[in-house]
Amino acid sequence: MIPTALLLLFGAQAAAQPPLIPAFFTGEKLYRICNRPNGGQCSMYVAGVLDGLFYARSRGGPPTVCPAPINNRQAAEIVTDYLERHPDMQTRAAALGVRQALADRLECPESSSETVSR
């Protein structure tokens, strides 16, 4: 039998966790998630999309962004700022907003053999 104190402690911890987010959603939903305390959900979603872009490039897809020395949180801030400045992107797929925001900020240098695909 589990003591009542442990049940209360577990219940308090479960209530403090951020809500789950759907796998597919709009830029508006991502913008709302990124503008509230979210336990890292925003930055991890952005990092996942960025990883997908790099993976696609490694498999022969077009380069959309160049690697840069930024972390997940910084990438999420770039995306949040972009979605705020481009509310039209909030009606589109969240992943598209992430791709466009990062392509705008992490462009490949002109001297690079890679080009940004938009």
Side-chain angles (χ1 to χ4, degrees):
M1 186 78 127
I2 300 174
T4 304
L6 287 177
L7 288 174
L8 291 174
L9 178 61
F10 176 74
Q13 288 176 342
Q17 294 180 4
L20 296 177
I21 58 176
F24 302 100
F25 51 95
T26 65
E28 188 270 332
K29 176 74 172 173
L30 179 61
Y31 181 75
R32 282 192 282 133
I33 289 168
C34 293
N35 279 300
R36 67 172 165 75
N38 58 57
Q41 289 176 326
C42 174
S43 63
M44 294 310 294
Y45 179 84
V46 170
V49 172
L50 187 57
D51 282 347
L53 294 172
F54 288 139
Y55 175 75
R57 185 177 69 193
S58 76
R59 305 294 291 171
T64 54
V65 296
C66 278
I70 64 171
N71 60 41
N72 293 359
R73 187 170 294 155
Q74 291 166 324
E77 289 169 1
I78 290 169
V79 170
T80 303
D81 180 59
Y82 180 86
L83 291 172
E84 185 172 312
R85 290 183 293 111
H86 298 90
D88 57 304
M89 291 300 290
Q90 292 186 26
T91 62
R92 303 182 77 185
L96 180 60
V98 171
R99 178 194 167 280
Q100 191 62 42
L102 295 175
D104 281 359
R105 291 288 296 274
L106 304 178
E107 289 185 308
C108 298
E110 291 293 326
S111 61
S112 173
S113 61
E114 295 182 313
T115 58
V116 176
S117 172
R118 294 191 191 191

